[in-house]
Amino acid sequence: MTTLERRLASITCLIRIEKVTQYMAKLFIAFCVAILCSLGLSAQVRPVGDDDTSKPRPPAPASIEAKYEGGMFGFSEKESGNLKFDDANQRLIFIGKNGREKFSLPYEAVLLVYPNSQSVTTTTGNIVRHIPLPGAGLAGLIKEKRRFLVVGYDDPDVNAKGTVSFRVENKETLEAVIHGLGSKAKLSPRGDAYYRPRNSP
């Protein structure tokens, strides 16, 4: 093969490589655009009015067992007790373990109601994983799901807003309480939450 033929072959090879590179670059750009479009669609905020409020909801019980987790001004300690709807006085009451009222939230002061949950290592898992035995560390993988009722409110007494939370064991009970409080406080539904629109009194 002559020197000229070698040069022509090299040039042809370079041209082919350049075409393949351009083609791969176009494919990569198209792939990135497709990914960004799909992310943009999935990140859109769901409209407020699209909730299915026609499905039957379980009635809210008059009183439920709950553990106060914090958030109310002047009450820093966690305590087990009961939440009670006081419709006669238009308020939600927390009754402590001694059977006495600890505090209450007027329905008109409620701004937001929604559920929350977190997975935590069980008490048994925490104990077992510290035992010096082979594989005991795997006990830390034993999880339990804790469910919470979260209520955003506007405290009229101290002119400040806050968020109070209560631990509720049963999922169905939690859903019923959220729906009941949202309805009694005349809030607007959004997914599994209720909120008070800004232009509401």
Side-chain angles (χ1 to χ4, degrees):
M1 180 181 291
T2 63
T3 304
L4 180 59
E5 290 175 338
R6 289 177 181 172
R7 288 181 179 177
L8 288 173
S10 298
I11 292 172
T12 304
C13 183
L14 288 173
I15 291 173
R16 288 178 180 173
I17 292 173
E18 185 177 355
K19 287 182 178 180
V20 170
T21 303
Q22 290 177 351
Y23 179 72
M24 294 298 291
K26 289 179 181 179
L27 279 179
F28 179 73
I29 291 172
F31 176 74
C32 289
V33 170
I35 292 294
L36 290 174
C37 288
S38 65
L39 288 176
L41 289 174
S42 63
Q44 289 181 352
V45 176
R46 185 172 59 175
V48 174
D50 288 351
D51 302 299
D52 183 13
T53 55
S54 61
K55 68 177 182 178
R57 305 265 188 171
S63 177
I64 65 161
E65 291 184 4
K67 183 178 181 181
Y68 169 67
E69 295 287 332
M72 177 60 68
F73 300 117
F75 298 89
S76 57
E77 292 186 9
K78 298 181 180 181
E79 183 176 350
S80 296
N82 289 273
L83 281 173
K84 181 180 179 182
F85 287 106
D86 181 12
D87 293 337
N89 295 300
Q90 294 288 294
R91 60 184 187 147
L92 179 69
I93 305 172
F94 178 68
I95 300 173
K97 57 187 176 183
N98 59 1
R100 296 182 180 179
E101 178 181 330
K102 303 292 288 188
F103 57 83
S104 65
L105 284 170
Y107 293 159
E108 63 181 5
V110 177
L111 304 175
L112 183 68
V113 186
Y114 63 94
N116 195 11
S117 63
Q118 62 181 119
S119 294
V120 297
T121 304
T122 63
T123 304
T124 303
N126 276 323
I127 294 172
V128 173
R129 72 176 179 173
H130 290 98
I131 298 175
L133 292 173
L138 296 175
L141 300 175
I142 304 174
K143 302 285 186 179
E144 68 175 348
K145 195 169 189 178
R146 293 181 179 175
R147 296 179 174 86
F148 301 91
L149 166 70
V150 184
V151 182
Y153 64 93
D154 187 355
D155 194 324
D157 295 329
V158 297
N159 193 26
K161 295 181 180 180
T163 303
V164 63
S165 63
F166 302 91
R167 181 179 172 186
V168 180
E169 296 294 340
N170 186 276
K171 179 182 178 182
E172 288 72 24
T173 301
L174 176 59
E175 291 175 352
V177 171
I178 289 173
H179 174 65
L181 182 56
S183 300
K184 294 173 189 294
K186 298 178 181 178
L187 305 181
S188 299
R190 182 173 187 173
D192 55 2
Y194 285 80
Y195 73 103
R196 190 177 302 282
R198 291 182 180 179
N199 57 356
S200 295

